[in-house]
Amino acid sequence: MGTSNKSFRNSIIEAVRQDKYEVVDEILFKSPSAFNCKNEQGYNIIQLAVINRSEKVYNLIYHITESYREIEDSSRNNLVHLVGRLAPSFVLDRTTGAALQLQRELLWREKLMLPLLLLQENDNKETPSMVFTREHQDLLKQGEGWMKQTAESCSITAALIVTVVFAAAITVPGGSDQQYGIPVLKKEFAFTVFAVSNALSLFTATTALLLFLSILTTRFSERDFRVSLPRRLIFGLLMLFLSTTAMIVAFCAILFLVFCDQRPWMLAPICVLACLPISVIVTIKLPLLVDLIRSTYVPIFGKQSYLEFCKINRGNTIFMK
């Protein structure tokens, strides 16, 4: 390792640890041999990118060498063994919720799950699957608790909405005709809005409730946290948002029918107050929904837009020593 390598060693190792791909790109562009830098434990930058879950750095450098799949450390841990270790706490803290943290760990494992390496044993006679299960057993329990707590809180809200809108559905505003049982206000546009919104709220809230209950009754295995459980929670939250909005619209339609016919000035404060509960539930649950969608459906590996501006020539292959 030359003098140039030594001068870049600490910088590139810290940049890999913090996933600063711009710094890694600049160093490798100026000194390609810096690719062979290792830390005190003997880990090179590809191994460090895997250990620290630095996906941007990994996307930048994994294509440089043809032999990275066979890399082993002093304890005969290959890359799949290393990805089976629990990520550092500062990496886990980037993701909200133990379930999403476990999902991100499973995504890394899925990316590096190479058939030739899955059955290899390290010095402790452990396969990569054994390492992953041992290292993540506490996170699995935390993810199960987080998922159950989230589903329970949302299911209570969904159950309350179902109760309210069902009671409103059988209590027709304005009453019904005594002879035929037809609603008196059925020709009013606001009544149509009420009927449609109330029905929509009932159906979506029921769907959300069933989705949340399905989460509570699942087996909570490792693979369920990859797609199955997050997807149920995503659709459950979407149905909950829709049912809440539809319920508020239906209630506003009732108020308009009862009060605003002779007092049109009441329409403005009703609309303003109607936005309050909708904004509250969106403010509380929308960040979670965005995190779930991003973590489940937005890829973090492969061709990324930020790689287009990198200086490293992908045509050059650097072989590790």
Side-chain angles (χ1 to χ4, degrees), residues 2 24-25 27 44-45 59 68 81 93 101 117-118 131 164 174 182 190-191 194 199 213 215 259 264 271 278 287:
V24 176
D25 177 55
I27 292 176
N44 57 49
I45 62 175
N59 287 331
Y68 75 96
H81 282 106
D93 291 340
Q101 293 172 358
L117 302 181
L118 290 178
V131 173
V164 170
I182 300 175
F191 184 84
F194 159 76
L213 290 178
I215 293 175
F259 297 107
C271 292
I278 297 175

Side-chain angles (χ1 to χ4, degrees), residues 19-39:
D19 201 17
K20 301 297 183 181
Y21 74 96
E22 305 97 330
V23 178
V24 176
D25 177 55
E26 188 69 29
I27 292 176
L28 292 180
F29 179 74
K30 292 182 177 180
S31 177
S33 59
F35 187 82
N36 297 312
C37 290
K38 296 182 180 181
N39 68 352

Side-chain angles (χ1 to χ4, degrees), residues 10-219:
N10 293 334
S11 299
I12 194 171
I13 288 175
E14 185 63 22
V16 172
R17 193 181 76 87
Q18 297 186 21
D19 201 17
K20 301 297 183 181
Y21 74 96
E22 305 97 330
V23 178
V24 176
D25 177 55
E26 188 69 29
I27 292 176
L28 292 180
F29 179 74
K30 292 182 177 180
S31 177
S33 59
F35 187 82
N36 297 312
C37 290
K38 296 182 180 181
N39 68 352
E40 292 79 2
Q41 289 77 36
Y43 292 119
N44 57 49
I45 62 175
I46 284 185
Q47 292 170 314
L48 288 173
V50 171
I51 293 172
N52 292 283
R53 307 299 191 264
S54 304
E55 65 263 13
K56 293 181 180 179
V57 172
Y58 181 84
N59 287 331
L60 177 70
I61 65 176
Y62 84 95
H63 53 79
I64 295 178
T65 177
E66 296 177 351
S67 59
Y68 75 96
R69 291 179 175 86
E70 287 74 34
I71 298 173
E72 292 183 352
D73 64 8
S74 58
S75 300
R76 294 178 57 204
N77 291 303
N78 57 41
L79 287 183
V80 191
H81 282 106
L82 296 181
V83 83
R85 295 180 181 177
L86 186 65
S89 58
F90 74 90
V91 176
L92 293 175
D93 291 340
R94 297 173 188 166
T95 307
T96 304
L100 296 185
Q101 293 172 358
L102 180 58
Q103 183 192 45
R104 182 57 62 93
E105 294 287 274
L106 289 167
L107 183 61
W108 269 92
R109 182 192 182 194
E110 181 182 289
K111 174 63 179 178
L112 294 176
M113 190 175 287
L114 304 171
L116 295 177
L117 302 181
L118 290 178
L119 299 180
Q120 290 186 8
E121 295 182 346
N122 58 17
D123 287 346
N124 295 324
K125 303 299 180 183
E126 290 181 316
T127 63
S129 296
M130 295 168 62
V131 173
F132 188 92
T133 300
R134 173 175 55 81
E135 290 278 329
H136 291 81
Q137 56 184 353
D138 291 336
L139 187 61
L140 178 62
K141 294 178 181 178
Q142 295 172 14
E144 178 181 348
W146 182 89
M147 189 66 73
K148 283 184 176 180
Q149 184 178 5
T150 304
E152 285 175 356
S153 63
C154 293
S155 63
I156 293 174
T157 305
L160 289 174
I161 293 175
V162 169
T163 303
V164 170
V165 297
F166 181 78
I170 61 178
T171 307
V172 180
S176 303
D177 183 86
Q178 296 295 326
Q179 184 176 358
Y180 300 104
I182 300 175
V184 175
L185 301 175
K186 72 172 187 175
K187 295 183 180 180
E188 297 287 340
F189 176 74
F191 184 84
T192 303
V193 173
F194 159 76
V196 173
S197 301
N198 197 75
L200 179 63
S201 180
L202 178 61
F203 298 148
T204 52
T206 303
T207 303
L209 182 59
L210 293 175
L211 287 169
F212 294 136
L213 290 178
S214 71
I215 293 175
L216 295 174
T217 56
T218 194
R219 58 181 180 173

